[in-house]
Amino acid sequence: MKRQRQCTTWSCFEINVRCQRIARHEGPHAASTRPTVERHWSWADGAPTEVELLPGTVWFHRPAPSRAGRVARRLGEWAAIVPGALLLWWLTSPGTTVTFIVLELLLSVRRARFFDVGRFTAGIWPAGPAELPLIFGIAWAVHGEGRSAKKAGLQLTLGGTTVGVFSLAPRREWAAFKRAQAAARQGGGR
């Protein structure tokens, strides 16, 4: 299967969107600002300042990387991290090197992972696409909404990654929570 490339043409600076069609396409350029928008902008090569707003979504769907591509990317990342870590070890201290590697591992998380122990869970998860990534943040995880919600644990945010340790349910509700889980596992939930 030949990989399709995206058209590289941009519209005028007033709208500033990139064409979302494949490279070397026929007809005018077109682009929606997001894949969920029901309209798109359309413009021609000869007149990039004459832009029309038309119905319908036009969005270039990038092909998912192959397994070999993902492995190559991870190897490339580590090819840059290891020399940096060795340089830190040589110039500063082992503690600085360990901190650097731990931060690199935290910031490279691509999917959520959780580890449950009884009533508590520890997890690491990336920020969603709609969330602004923080440089650094510490916050309470709470059960419920509003200011009167009970504290459940602690969250630490670095870049677009959050690490948290918190309880799955308040202590008073834990027995009922376990009974509901057991009933759901048996298939009845009654």
Side-chain angles (χ1 to χ4, degrees):
M1 181 177 121
K2 186 177 178 185
R3 185 174 181 169
Q4 294 184 332
R5 303 274 180 206
Q6 182 178 355
C7 180
T8 58
T9 307
W10 287 77
S11 68
C12 63
F13 292 110
E14 295 169 12
I15 297 167
N16 200 23
V17 291
R18 182 178 175 183
C19 180
Q20 295 293 313
R21 295 193 174 181
I22 61 172
R24 288 177 252 135
H25 61 83
E26 299 282 327
H29 300 287
S32 296
T33 52
R34 288 186 306 276
T36 56
V37 175
E38 296 294 327
R39 296 175 157 248
H40 70 275
W41 301 100
S42 179
W43 69 96
D45 276 328
T49 57
E50 294 176 15
V51 181
E52 289 182 277
L53 186 59
L54 302 172
T57 303
V58 177
W59 192 260
F60 180 78
H61 294 282
R62 286 167 180 76
S66 66
R67 184 173 176 85
R70 288 191 307 266
V71 169
R73 179 179 175 176
R74 296 300 277 183
L75 288 174
E77 288 174 0
W78 280 99
I81 290 170
V82 168
L86 291 174
L87 188 63
L88 279 173
W89 186 290
W90 182 58
L91 294 175
T92 59
S93 68
T96 306
T97 305
V98 169
T99 303
F100 170 73
I101 290 175
V102 166
L103 288 174
E104 282 295 328
L105 288 172
L106 284 176
L107 295 175
S108 68
V109 169
R110 289 183 175 80
R111 65 179 179 195
R113 300 180 198 289
F114 290 92
F115 180 70
D116 296 342
V117 177
R119 189 169 73 92
F120 297 93
T121 187
I124 184 166
W125 61 94
E131 299 172 26
L132 290 173
L134 296 173
I135 294 173
F136 178 77
I138 299 176
W140 291 110
V142 295
H143 290 295
E145 300 270 333
R147 294 176 95 29
S148 63
K150 303 269 189 212
K151 293 177 183 170
L154 197 62
Q155 294 180 180
L156 171 72
T157 300
L158 292 168
T161 306
T162 303
V163 178
V165 177
F166 45 89
S167 63
L168 293 169
R171 188 174 295 142
R172 289 183 189 149
E173 299 171 13
W174 181 246
F177 178 78
K178 289 299 284 181
R179 281 193 297 274
Q181 274 191 329
R185 258 188 255 120
Q186 290 180 353
R190 298 170 230 174

